[in-house]
Amino acid sequence: ANVINMSLAGIVSNCTTGDPALNSILSRAANDDILVVAATGNSGSSANYYPACSPHVMGVGSVDSSGSRSSYSNYGSQNVDIVAYVGDGSPSTSYSWQRVYYCGISCSSSITNFTSFANWSGSGTSFASPQVVGLAAIIYSIDPTLTKAEVVSYLENNADDTVGPSIGSDTETGAGAIDFEASFNAAASDNTTPSIAIVEPNGSGDNADETFLVTWTDSDIDNDAEVNLYWDNDTNFAIG
């Protein structure tokens, strides 16, 4: 996996250690360059909430349609790195709506078919972090060779930082609200096929008995464009 969602949160005294068993897994994910995303929690608190506050995790809070922090969304620089639009939960029109299987709070263990899907509303940062994971997955699909740091950069650098109490990064909304279109376009534009212009040899008076130093210019933003040289079928040297 390139990216993992964790819609759970619990208060801790130390964000670095948190839960020892879970922290071990998070450390391993970090070493494997896996992006772990977690909801900040729904207590409207600035206390340490784990795993969002872990240095190995991207913490995701919630904002409403006006760009203000959802009243329940936990905040604080240690908790929130970025936010997504979910709503405040009141009135019901500000809920997040999804097509889900829902059996209420007292789900019966005898229910096995899980085929009764319906549009269901809900609020909470648990609905925010999957949005970030979905966008990260889209970015990875554009270029699977991207590192976690590069994907995080696309998410944060293209977020709407006008949300929250101030323009720019703040302790309530982090880098801002994710912007699917801006992040996608940025990743896609960086992954376009580069153009290459051969500078030398230029074909004027060149022949197969000469030795050439091949130079070129390119438009590749990743700086990894290459020129492949090969012999064609009639033994004339060709550039491909």
Side-chain angles (χ1 to χ4, degrees), residues 75-108:
Y75 57 97
S77 59
Q78 78 281 13
N79 288 323
V80 60
D81 296 298
I82 205 164
V83 294
Y85 292 97
V86 175
D88 209 35
S90 180
S92 60
T93 52
S94 70
Y95 281 124
S96 175
W97 290 83
Q98 301 181 34
R99 186 100 176 144
V100 297
Y101 177 86
Y102 179 65
C103 57
I105 296 175
S106 56
C107 297
S108 171

PDB file of all heavy atoms in Angstrom, residues 75-108:
ATOM      1  N   TYR A  75      -7.908  20.349  17.091  1.00  0.00           N
ATOM      2  CA  TYR A  75      -6.981  21.261  16.436  1.00  0.00           C
ATOM      3  C   TYR A  75      -5.672  21.304  17.205  1.00  0.00           C
ATOM      4  O   TYR A  75      -5.454  20.538  18.142  1.00  0.00           O
ATOM      5  CB  TYR A  75      -7.611  22.660  16.329  1.00  0.00           C
ATOM      6  CG  TYR A  75      -8.034  23.257  17.656  1.00  0.00           C
ATOM      7  CD1 TYR A  75      -7.216  24.153  18.334  1.00  0.00           C
ATOM      8  CD2 TYR A  75      -9.256  22.907  18.238  1.00  0.00           C
ATOM      9  CE1 TYR A  75      -7.604  24.685  19.557  1.00  0.00           C
ATOM     10  CE2 TYR A  75      -9.647  23.444  19.456  1.00  0.00           C
ATOM     11  CZ  TYR A  75      -8.814  24.327  20.111  1.00  0.00           C
ATOM     12  OH  TYR A  75      -9.191  24.850  21.323  1.00  0.00           O
ATOM     13  N   GLY A  76      -4.794  22.214  16.814  1.00  0.00           N
ATOM     14  CA  GLY A  76      -3.481  22.301  17.437  1.00  0.00           C
ATOM     15  C   GLY A  76      -2.420  21.864  16.447  1.00  0.00           C
ATOM     16  O   GLY A  76      -2.648  20.957  15.639  1.00  0.00           O
ATOM     17  N   SER A  77      -1.258  22.489  16.487  1.00  0.00           N
ATOM     18  CA  SER A  77      -0.205  22.202  15.509  1.00  0.00           C
ATOM     19  C   SER A  77       0.247  20.753  15.533  1.00  0.00           C
ATOM     20  O   SER A  77       0.692  20.211  14.528  1.00  0.00           O
ATOM     21  CB  SER A  77       0.993  23.123  15.758  1.00  0.00           C
ATOM     22  OG  SER A  77       1.497  22.948  17.082  1.00  0.00           O
ATOM     23  N   GLN A  78       0.117  20.097  16.689  1.00  0.00           N
ATOM     24  CA  GLN A  78       0.533  18.705  16.777  1.00  0.00           C
ATOM     25  C   GLN A  78      -0.508  17.749  16.200  1.00  0.00           C
ATOM     26  O   GLN A  78      -0.199  16.596  15.888  1.00  0.00           O
ATOM     27  CB  GLN A  78       0.836  18.327  18.234  1.00  0.00           C
ATOM     28  CG  GLN A  78      -0.388  18.053  19.106  1.00  0.00           C
ATOM     29  CD  GLN A  78      -1.076  19.330  19.593  1.00  0.00           C
ATOM     30  OE1 GLN A  78      -0.803  20.416  19.108  1.00  0.00           O
ATOM     31  NE2 GLN A  78      -1.972  19.182  20.562  1.00  0.00           N
ATOM     32  N   ASN A  79      -1.747  18.220  16.059  1.00  0.00           N
ATOM     33  CA  ASN A  79      -2.834  17.347  15.599  1.00  0.00           C
ATOM     34  C   ASN A  79      -3.133  17.468  14.113  1.00  0.00           C
ATOM     35  O   ASN A  79      -3.287  16.462  13.420  1.00  0.00           O
ATOM     36  CB  ASN A  79      -4.125  17.647  16.370  1.00  0.00           C
ATOM     37  CG  ASN A  79      -4.097  17.170  17.803  1.00  0.00           C
ATOM     38  OD1 ASN A  79      -3.543  16.118  18.100  1.00  0.00           O
ATOM     39  ND2 ASN A  79      -4.680  17.942  18.702  1.00  0.00           N
ATOM     40  N   VAL A  80      -3.266  18.702  13.626  1.00  0.00           N
ATOM     41  CA  VAL A  80      -3.813  18.906  12.285  1.00  0.00           C
ATOM     42  C   VAL A  80      -2.757  19.404  11.303  1.00  0.00           C
ATOM     43  O   VAL A  80      -2.075  20.392  11.553  1.00  0.00           O
ATOM     44  CB  VAL A  80      -5.027  19.865  12.335  1.00  0.00           C
ATOM     45  CG1 VAL A  80      -4.640  21.226  12.896  1.00  0.00           C
ATOM     46  CG2 VAL A  80      -5.660  20.028  10.967  1.00  0.00           C
ATOM     47  N   ASP A  81      -2.639  18.682  10.203  1.00  0.00           N
ATOM     48  CA  ASP A  81      -1.740  19.076   9.111  1.00  0.00           C
ATOM     49  C   ASP A  81      -2.516  19.663   7.946  1.00  0.00           C
ATOM     50  O   ASP A  81      -1.983  20.487   7.192  1.00  0.00           O
ATOM     51  CB  ASP A  81      -0.932  17.861   8.629  1.00  0.00           C
ATOM     52  CG  ASP A  81      -0.018  17.309   9.695  1.00  0.00           C
ATOM     53  OD1 ASP A  81       0.877  18.051  10.140  1.00  0.00           O
ATOM     54  OD2 ASP A  81      -0.193  16.142  10.103  1.00  0.00           O
ATOM     55  N   ILE A  82      -3.756  19.215   7.783  1.00  0.00           N
ATOM     56  CA  ILE A  82      -4.579  19.625   6.649  1.00  0.00           C
ATOM     57  C   ILE A  82      -6.032  19.338   7.001  1.00  0.00           C
ATOM     58  O   ILE A  82      -6.295  18.608   7.974  1.00  0.00           O
ATOM     59  CB  ILE A  82      -4.141  18.865   5.369  1.00  0.00           C
ATOM     60  CG1 ILE A  82      -4.500  19.632   4.089  1.00  0.00           C
ATOM     61  CG2 ILE A  82      -4.673  17.440   5.350  1.00  0.00           C
ATOM     62  CD1 ILE A  82      -3.769  19.119   2.851  1.00  0.00           C
ATOM     63  N   VAL A  83      -6.980  19.891   6.257  1.00  0.00           N
ATOM     64  CA  VAL A  83      -8.397  19.648   6.548  1.00  0.00           C
ATOM     65  C   VAL A  83      -9.150  19.323   5.261  1.00  0.00           C
ATOM     66  O   VAL A  83      -8.649  19.520   4.162  1.00  0.00           O
ATOM     67  CB  VAL A  83      -9.059  20.873   7.229  1.00  0.00           C
ATOM     68  CG1 VAL A  83      -8.467  21.110   8.606  1.00  0.00           C
ATOM     69  CG2 VAL A  83      -8.920  22.123   6.354  1.00  0.00           C
ATOM     70  N   ALA A  84     -10.368  18.807   5.441  1.00  0.00           N
ATOM     71  CA  ALA A  84     -11.262  18.535   4.319  1.00  0.00           C
ATOM     72  C   ALA A  84     -12.658  19.002   4.698  1.00  0.00           C
ATOM     73  O   ALA A  84     -12.985  19.144   5.883  1.00  0.00           O
ATOM     74  CB  ALA A  84     -11.269  17.042   3.976  1.00  0.00           C
ATOM     75  N   TYR A  85     -13.494  19.250   3.696  1.00  0.00           N
ATOM     76  CA  TYR A  85     -14.852  19.734   3.940  1.00  0.00           C
ATOM     77  C   TYR A  85     -15.757  18.583   4.366  1.00  0.00           C
ATOM     78  O   TYR A  85     -15.923  17.609   3.647  1.00  0.00           O
ATOM     79  CB  TYR A  85     -15.418  20.390   2.685  1.00  0.00           C
ATOM     80  CG  TYR A  85     -14.744  21.682   2.306  1.00  0.00           C
ATOM     81  CD1 TYR A  85     -13.740  21.715   1.352  1.00  0.00           C
ATOM     82  CD2 TYR A  85     -15.107  22.878   2.924  1.00  0.00           C
ATOM     83  CE1 TYR A  85     -13.100  22.901   1.010  1.00  0.00           C
ATOM     84  CE2 TYR A  85     -14.485  24.072   2.592  1.00  0.00           C
ATOM     85  CZ  TYR A  85     -13.480  24.081   1.632  1.00  0.00           C
ATOM     86  OH  TYR A  85     -12.853  25.260   1.306  1.00  0.00           O
ATOM     87  N   VAL A  86     -16.329  18.709   5.549  1.00  0.00           N
ATOM     88  CA  VAL A  86     -17.317  17.742   6.029  1.00  0.00           C
ATOM     89  C   VAL A  86     -18.576  18.474   6.478  1.00  0.00           C
ATOM     90  O   VAL A  86     -19.687  18.113   6.118  1.00  0.00           O
ATOM     91  CB  VAL A  86     -16.755  16.891   7.190  1.00  0.00           C
ATOM     92  CG1 VAL A  86     -17.855  15.980   7.746  1.00  0.00           C
ATOM     93  CG2 VAL A  86     -15.576  16.053   6.717  1.00  0.00           C
ATOM     94  N   GLY A  87     -18.417  19.512   7.244  1.00  0.00           N
ATOM     95  CA  GLY A  87     -19.559  20.241   7.770  1.00  0.00           C
ATOM     96  C   GLY A  87     -19.531  20.270   9.275  1.00  0.00           C
ATOM     97  O   GLY A  87     -18.652  19.697   9.917  1.00  0.00           O
ATOM     98  N   ASP A  88     -20.509  20.916   9.854  1.00  0.00           N
ATOM     99  CA  ASP A  88     -20.568  21.056  11.299  1.00  0.00           C
ATOM    100  C   ASP A  88     -21.593  20.128  11.927  1.00  0.00           C
ATOM    101  O   ASP A  88     -21.656  19.991  13.142  1.00  0.00           O
ATOM    102  CB  ASP A  88     -20.889  22.510  11.662  1.00  0.00           C
ATOM    103  CG  ASP A  88     -20.303  22.886  13.014  1.00  0.00           C
ATOM    104  OD1 ASP A  88     -19.211  22.387  13.335  1.00  0.00           O
ATOM    105  OD2 ASP A  88     -20.951  23.649  13.740  1.00  0.00           O
ATOM    106  N   GLY A  89     -22.448  19.503  11.090  1.00  0.00           N
ATOM    107  CA  GLY A  89     -23.429  18.567  11.610  1.00  0.00           C
ATOM    108  C   GLY A  89     -24.748  19.189  11.993  1.00  0.00           C
ATOM    109  O   GLY A  89     -25.695  18.486  12.314  1.00  0.00           O
ATOM    110  N   SER A  90     -24.826  20.494  11.983  1.00  0.00           N
ATOM    111  CA  SER A  90     -26.074  21.178  12.323  1.00  0.00           C
ATOM    112  C   SER A  90     -26.154  22.476  11.531  1.00  0.00           C
ATOM    113  O   SER A  90     -25.247  23.305  11.598  1.00  0.00           O
ATOM    114  CB  SER A  90     -26.133  21.500  13.816  1.00  0.00           C
ATOM    115  OG  SER A  90     -27.339  22.163  14.136  1.00  0.00           O
ATOM    116  N   PRO A  91     -27.164  22.666  10.704  1.00  0.00           N
ATOM    117  CA  PRO A  91     -28.275  21.738  10.453  1.00  0.00           C
ATOM    118  C   PRO A  91     -27.828  20.515   9.655  1.00  0.00           C
ATOM    119  O   PRO A  91     -26.671  20.437   9.247  1.00  0.00           O
ATOM    120  CB  PRO A  91     -29.247  22.600   9.642  1.00  0.00           C
ATOM    121  CG  PRO A  91     -28.350  23.539   8.913  1.00  0.00           C
ATOM    122  CD  PRO A  91     -27.240  23.877   9.863  1.00  0.00           C
ATOM    123  N   SER A  92     -28.748  19.593   9.441  1.00  0.00           N
ATOM    124  CA  SER A  92     -28.402  18.334   8.784  1.00  0.00           C
ATOM    125  C   SER A  92     -27.884  18.534   7.378  1.00  0.00           C
ATOM    126  O   SER A  92     -27.186  17.676   6.836  1.00  0.00           O
ATOM    127  CB  SER A  92     -29.617  17.394   8.749  1.00  0.00           C
ATOM    128  OG  SER A  92     -30.690  17.981   8.037  1.00  0.00           O
ATOM    129  N   THR A  93     -28.186  19.666   6.770  1.00  0.00           N
ATOM    130  CA  THR A  93     -27.717  19.918   5.406  1.00  0.00           C
ATOM    131  C   THR A  93     -26.212  20.111   5.348  1.00  0.00           C
ATOM    132  O   THR A  93     -25.626  20.101   4.270  1.00  0.00           O
ATOM    133  CB  THR A  93     -28.406  21.165   4.822  1.00  0.00           C
ATOM    134  OG1 THR A  93     -28.255  22.251   5.745  1.00  0.00           O
ATOM    135  CG2 THR A  93     -29.880  20.905   4.576  1.00  0.00           C
ATOM    136  N   SER A  94     -25.570  20.303   6.500  1.00  0.00           N
ATOM    137  CA  SER A  94     -24.121  20.478   6.504  1.00  0.00           C
ATOM    138  C   SER A  94     -23.383  19.171   6.755  1.00  0.00           C
ATOM    139  O   SER A  94     -22.176  19.147   6.909  1.00  0.00           O
ATOM    140  CB  SER A  94     -23.705  21.501   7.575  1.00  0.00           C
ATOM    141  OG  SER A  94     -23.901  20.979   8.872  1.00  0.00           O
ATOM    142  N   TYR A  95     -24.118  18.085   6.804  1.00  0.00           N
ATOM    143  CA  TYR A  95     -23.489  16.770   6.941  1.00  0.00           C
ATOM    144  C   TYR A  95     -22.764  16.371   5.662  1.00  0.00           C
ATOM    145  O   TYR A  95     -23.002  16.899   4.584  1.00  0.00           O
ATOM    146  CB  TYR A  95     -24.543  15.688   7.214  1.00  0.00           C
ATOM    147  CG  TYR A  95     -25.048  15.597   8.635  1.00  0.00           C
ATOM    148  CD1 TYR A  95     -26.408  15.700   8.901  1.00  0.00           C
ATOM    149  CD2 TYR A  95     -24.184  15.371   9.688  1.00  0.00           C
ATOM    150  CE1 TYR A  95     -26.891  15.595  10.193  1.00  0.00           C
ATOM    151  CE2 TYR A  95     -24.653  15.255  10.980  1.00  0.00           C
ATOM    152  CZ  TYR A  95     -26.014  15.365  11.230  1.00  0.00           C
ATOM    153  OH  TYR A  95     -26.488  15.249  12.504  1.00  0.00           O
ATOM    154  N   SER A  96     -21.881  15.367   5.802  1.00  0.00           N
ATOM    155  CA  SER A  96     -21.290  14.712   4.645  1.00  0.00           C
ATOM    156  C   SER A  96     -22.197  13.545   4.274  1.00  0.00           C
ATOM    157  O   SER A  96     -22.618  12.770   5.131  1.00  0.00           O
ATOM    158  CB  SER A  96     -19.884  14.188   4.993  1.00  0.00           C
ATOM    159  OG  SER A  96     -19.347  13.456   3.928  1.00  0.00           O
ATOM    160  N   TRP A  97     -22.522  13.444   2.985  1.00  0.00           N
ATOM    161  CA  TRP A  97     -23.422  12.374   2.526  1.00  0.00           C
ATOM    162  C   TRP A  97     -22.643  11.373   1.693  1.00  0.00           C
ATOM    163  O   TRP A  97     -21.865  11.728   0.816  1.00  0.00           O
ATOM    164  CB  TRP A  97     -24.564  12.960   1.696  1.00  0.00           C
ATOM    165  CG  TRP A  97     -25.525  13.745   2.528  1.00  0.00           C
ATOM    166  CD1 TRP A  97     -25.394  15.043   2.926  1.00  0.00           C
ATOM    167  CD2 TRP A  97     -26.749  13.277   3.094  1.00  0.00           C
ATOM    168  NE1 TRP A  97     -26.454  15.431   3.705  1.00  0.00           N
ATOM    169  CE2 TRP A  97     -27.318  14.361   3.829  1.00  0.00           C
ATOM    170  CE3 TRP A  97     -27.433  12.073   3.064  1.00  0.00           C
ATOM    171  CZ2 TRP A  97     -28.514  14.261   4.508  1.00  0.00           C
ATOM    172  CZ3 TRP A  97     -28.633  11.973   3.749  1.00  0.00           C
ATOM    173  CH2 TRP A  97     -29.160  13.052   4.459  1.00  0.00           C
ATOM    174  N   GLN A  98     -22.846  10.089   1.998  1.00  0.00           N
ATOM    175  CA  GLN A  98     -22.155   9.021   1.283  1.00  0.00           C
ATOM    176  C   GLN A  98     -23.102   7.852   1.055  1.00  0.00           C
ATOM    177  O   GLN A  98     -24.061   7.661   1.795  1.00  0.00           O
ATOM    178  CB  GLN A  98     -20.934   8.529   2.068  1.00  0.00           C
ATOM    179  CG  GLN A  98     -19.908   9.608   2.351  1.00  0.00           C
ATOM    180  CD  GLN A  98     -18.719   9.068   3.108  1.00  0.00           C
ATOM    181  OE1 GLN A  98     -18.320   7.934   2.903  1.00  0.00           O
ATOM    182  NE2 GLN A  98     -18.155   9.883   3.980  1.00  0.00           N
ATOM    183  N   ARG A  99     -22.786   7.069   0.040  1.00  0.00           N
ATOM    184  CA  ARG A  99     -23.542   5.846  -0.239  1.00  0.00           C
ATOM    185  C   ARG A  99     -22.872   4.725   0.532  1.00  0.00           C
ATOM    186  O   ARG A  99     -21.766   4.313   0.215  1.00  0.00           O
ATOM    187  CB  ARG A  99     -23.527   5.546  -1.731  1.00  0.00           C
ATOM    188  CG  ARG A  99     -24.408   4.368  -2.116  1.00  0.00           C
ATOM    189  CD  ARG A  99     -25.730   4.847  -2.663  1.00  0.00           C
ATOM    190  NE  ARG A  99     -26.565   3.769  -3.138  1.00  0.00           N
ATOM    191  CZ  ARG A  99     -27.873   3.761  -3.007  1.00  0.00           C
ATOM    192  NH1 ARG A  99     -28.471   4.778  -2.412  1.00  0.00           N
ATOM    193  NH2 ARG A  99     -28.606   2.774  -3.469  1.00  0.00           N
ATOM    194  N   VAL A 100     -23.499   4.273   1.590  1.00  0.00           N
ATOM    195  CA  VAL A 100     -22.872   3.300   2.473  1.00  0.00           C
ATOM    196  C   VAL A 100     -23.853   2.204   2.869  1.00  0.00           C
ATOM    197  O   VAL A 100     -25.069   2.328   2.691  1.00  0.00           O
ATOM    198  CB  VAL A 100     -22.356   3.978   3.767  1.00  0.00           C
ATOM    199  CG1 VAL A 100     -21.289   4.999   3.448  1.00  0.00           C
ATOM    200  CG2 VAL A 100     -23.494   4.641   4.531  1.00  0.00           C
ATOM    201  N   TYR A 101     -23.306   1.135   3.446  1.00  0.00           N
ATOM    202  CA  TYR A 101     -24.135   0.145   4.134  1.00  0.00           C
ATOM    203  C   TYR A 101     -24.226   0.594   5.575  1.00  0.00           C
ATOM    204  O   TYR A 101     -23.214   0.782   6.247  1.00  0.00           O
ATOM    205  CB  TYR A 101     -23.537  -1.261   4.066  1.00  0.00           C
ATOM    206  CG  TYR A 101     -24.367  -2.244   4.851  1.00  0.00           C
ATOM    207  CD1 TYR A 101     -25.462  -2.868   4.265  1.00  0.00           C
ATOM    208  CD2 TYR A 101     -24.104  -2.489   6.191  1.00  0.00           C
ATOM    209  CE1 TYR A 101     -26.268  -3.718   4.992  1.00  0.00           C
ATOM    210  CE2 TYR A 101     -24.905  -3.343   6.925  1.00  0.00           C
ATOM    211  CZ  TYR A 101     -25.982  -3.950   6.325  1.00  0.00           C
ATOM    212  OH  TYR A 101     -26.782  -4.779   7.050  1.00  0.00           O
ATOM    213  N   TYR A 102     -25.412   0.806   6.066  1.00  0.00           N
ATOM    214  CA  TYR A 102     -25.571   1.326   7.422  1.00  0.00           C
ATOM    215  C   TYR A 102     -26.656   0.558   8.148  1.00  0.00           C
ATOM    216  O   TYR A 102     -27.782   0.426   7.648  1.00  0.00           O
ATOM    217  CB  TYR A 102     -25.933   2.827   7.369  1.00  0.00           C
ATOM    218  CG  TYR A 102     -26.149   3.437   8.729  1.00  0.00           C
ATOM    219  CD1 TYR A 102     -25.086   3.526   9.628  1.00  0.00           C
ATOM    220  CD2 TYR A 102     -27.399   3.924   9.102  1.00  0.00           C
ATOM    221  CE1 TYR A 102     -25.276   4.099  10.879  1.00  0.00           C
ATOM    222  CE2 TYR A 102     -27.579   4.497  10.354  1.00  0.00           C
ATOM    223  CZ  TYR A 102     -26.518   4.581  11.241  1.00  0.00           C
ATOM    224  OH  TYR A 102     -26.708   5.134  12.478  1.00  0.00           O
ATOM    225  N   CYS A 103     -26.334   0.049   9.330  1.00  0.00           N
ATOM    226  CA  CYS A 103     -27.327  -0.700  10.095  1.00  0.00           C
ATOM    227  C   CYS A 103     -27.561  -0.076  11.464  1.00  0.00           C
ATOM    228  O   CYS A 103     -28.086  -0.723  12.367  1.00  0.00           O
ATOM    229  CB  CYS A 103     -26.903  -2.162  10.243  1.00  0.00           C
ATOM    230  SG  CYS A 103     -25.285  -2.392  11.008  1.00  0.00           S
ATOM    231  N   GLY A 104     -27.146   1.167  11.646  1.00  0.00           N
ATOM    232  CA  GLY A 104     -27.399   1.851  12.906  1.00  0.00           C
ATOM    233  C   GLY A 104     -26.375   1.503  13.966  1.00  0.00           C
ATOM    234  O   GLY A 104     -25.366   0.845  13.718  1.00  0.00           O
ATOM    235  N   ILE A 105     -26.637   1.942  15.182  1.00  0.00           N
ATOM    236  CA  ILE A 105     -25.687   1.741  16.277  1.00  0.00           C
ATOM    237  C   ILE A 105     -25.659   0.291  16.735  1.00  0.00           C
ATOM    238  O   ILE A 105     -24.608  -0.281  17.015  1.00  0.00           O
ATOM    239  CB  ILE A 105     -26.039   2.662  17.458  1.00  0.00           C
ATOM    240  CG1 ILE A 105     -25.893   4.125  17.032  1.00  0.00           C
ATOM    241  CG2 ILE A 105     -25.145   2.378  18.664  1.00  0.00           C
ATOM    242  CD1 ILE A 105     -26.329   5.112  18.086  1.00  0.00           C
ATOM    243  N   SER A 106     -26.839  -0.351  16.805  1.00  0.00           N
ATOM    244  CA  SER A 106     -26.901  -1.742  17.291  1.00  0.00           C
ATOM    245  C   SER A 106     -26.972  -2.696  16.102  1.00  0.00           C
ATOM    246  O   SER A 106     -28.020  -3.245  15.785  1.00  0.00           O
ATOM    247  CB  SER A 106     -28.123  -1.927  18.202  1.00  0.00           C
ATOM    248  OG  SER A 106     -29.298  -1.536  17.506  1.00  0.00           O
ATOM    249  N   CYS A 107     -25.848  -2.855  15.411  1.00  0.00           N
ATOM    250  CA  CYS A 107     -25.802  -3.744  14.245  1.00  0.00           C
ATOM    251  C   CYS A 107     -25.848  -5.197  14.702  1.00  0.00           C
ATOM    252  O   CYS A 107     -25.083  -5.619  15.574  1.00  0.00           O
ATOM    253  CB  CYS A 107     -24.535  -3.500  13.433  1.00  0.00           C
ATOM    254  SG  CYS A 107     -24.442  -1.845  12.733  1.00  0.00           S
ATOM    255  N   SER A 108     -26.729  -5.960  14.110  1.00  0.00           N
ATOM    256  CA  SER A 108     -26.880  -7.358  14.485  1.00  0.00           C
ATOM    257  C   SER A 108     -25.788  -8.213  13.842  1.00  0.00           C
ATOM    258  O   SER A 108     -25.464  -8.048  12.667  1.00  0.00           O
ATOM    259  CB  SER A 108     -28.258  -7.877  14.044  1.00  0.00           C
ATOM    260  OG  SER A 108     -28.346  -9.270  14.211  1.00  0.00           O
TER     261      SER A 108
END
